[in-house]
Amino acid sequence: MRGNAIGQRLFSGTASLPYWDRNMDFDIETWVPYGCDFKPVTTNSLFSDALGKIAEMALRLESEFLYMEVGGGCPVGTLVPENLIRPRRGNSDSSSFAMVFSYSRGMEHLLFDLVRDGAYFGAGITVCGIWRSSILVDECKVLVVVSENPLFDPDGFLDSLALALFSSDMPSSGNVPYYAEKFGYRRCSIPYETDDVTQLQISHLLSCFEFDETRRFVGPIPELSMDSLI
């Protein structure tokens, strides 16, 4: 997993997560069937029952659980199925936590509520590049939850996330996990398909003004730094 600079923020809506100030890249194994996954729930269930349930409920919100790393331990998730066979340590020996979901409005609203009610972690939106053997396979919009606070409890967060997913009143596609498991789940993402491009351009122009009065209406600097979290 690598990080690069990026900068923008979504200002529309009352439950919008900020854009991170960098994007993400994942290098996947050559044999991982990224374009079509036949067991997106089962794969995560083999890592743990809790992750299997989270993966199932995320699909119902038109999202997908892709990746999680805790404290430099073995990364888990749909993008790293090889770790079921050959566990490997992550890139860090710290207490950092990172969890990645593909973007959907329902999942964004759910994470927004968790961040608002929780502590010691943050969540935001960024762009994720999927690479295989130095070839860019896909570039998609993702939701990232991160923390490097030693007081952060990953197990407690997963419990809260699972409870929020099960009790969510967001519109859901209840049969998606079943059909994804039975017939396969085809990934077909278009970056920014959920954004109003005109609104983004207007927000960017307004944020470039240096007047205090404009800043008062537009909001803070349109980037959320990850440096204090990862």
Side-chain angles (χ1 to χ4, degrees):
M1 183 174 68
R2 305 187 298 271
N4 299 302
I6 190 173
Q8 266 198 354
R9 176 178 177 175
L10 182 66
F11 286 99
S12 60
T14 57
S16 296
L17 290 173
Y19 275 85
W20 293 117
D21 62 351
R22 67 184 69 177
N23 64 353
M24 307 181 72
D25 289 303
F26 285 104
D27 294 302
I28 62 175
E29 295 285 340
T30 55
W31 58 269
V32 173
Y34 177 78
C36 187
D37 195 326
F38 291 96
K39 296 293 181 180
V41 176
T42 299
T43 297
N44 288 296
S45 297
L46 293 174
F47 285 113
S48 80
D49 291 339
L51 291 180
K53 293 296 184 182
I54 288 173
E56 177 183 350
M57 298 305 296
L59 285 172
R60 293 184 181 183
L61 289 183
E62 301 180 347
S63 178
E64 183 186 7
F65 166 54
L66 299 174
Y67 180 92
M68 185 179 77
E69 184 175 338
V70 183
C74 177
V76 300
T78 310
L79 293 182
V80 285
E82 69 275 10
N83 288 341
L84 288 166
I85 306 169
R86 189 182 69 254
R88 61 183 174 84
R89 288 189 62 81
N91 300 321
S92 172
D93 293 325
S94 69
S95 59
S96 62
F97 171 88
M99 193 170 194
V100 182
F101 293 89
S102 64
Y103 181 86
S104 76
R105 289 195 181 276
M107 183 60 73
E108 180 188 6
H109 281 251
L110 185 142
L111 292 177
F112 178 88
D113 290 337
L114 286 178
V115 170
R116 183 178 56 187
D117 298 335
Y120 310 128
F121 66 93
I125 305 169
T126 191
V127 175
C128 181
I130 308 296
W131 296 80
R132 179 189 287 127
S133 299
S134 302
I135 297 174
L136 183 62
V137 177
D138 189 18
E139 193 171 61
C140 55
K141 185 173 169 183
V142 295
L143 297 157
V144 187
V145 181
V146 292
S147 176
E148 201 174 38
N149 194 304
L151 299 178
F152 176 73
D153 178 13
D155 292 332
F157 170 77
L158 293 180
D159 289 341
S160 298
L161 176 60
L163 178 61
L165 284 166
F166 275 104
S167 59
S168 173
D169 58 358
M170 297 294 297
S172 65
S173 302
N175 293 328
V176 169
Y178 170 79
Y179 288 110
E181 285 285 296
K182 189 173 181 64
F183 301 110
Y185 173 80
R186 182 168 295 279
R187 298 181 181 93
C188 183
S189 60
I190 304 173
Y192 312 112
E193 75 275 18
T194 55
D195 287 334
D196 184 331
V197 177
T198 302
Q199 181 67 32
L200 286 174
Q201 291 175 336
I202 293 172
S203 298
H204 176 70
L205 289 173
L206 289 174
S207 67
C208 289
F209 284 107
E210 297 296 332
F211 302 113
D212 292 338
E213 191 69 15
T214 303
R215 285 290 184 196
R216 186 169 68 84
F217 284 100
V218 173
I221 297 173
E223 290 182 355
L224 182 60
S225 175
M226 296 179 75
D227 293 337
S228 61
L229 294 166
I230 63 172

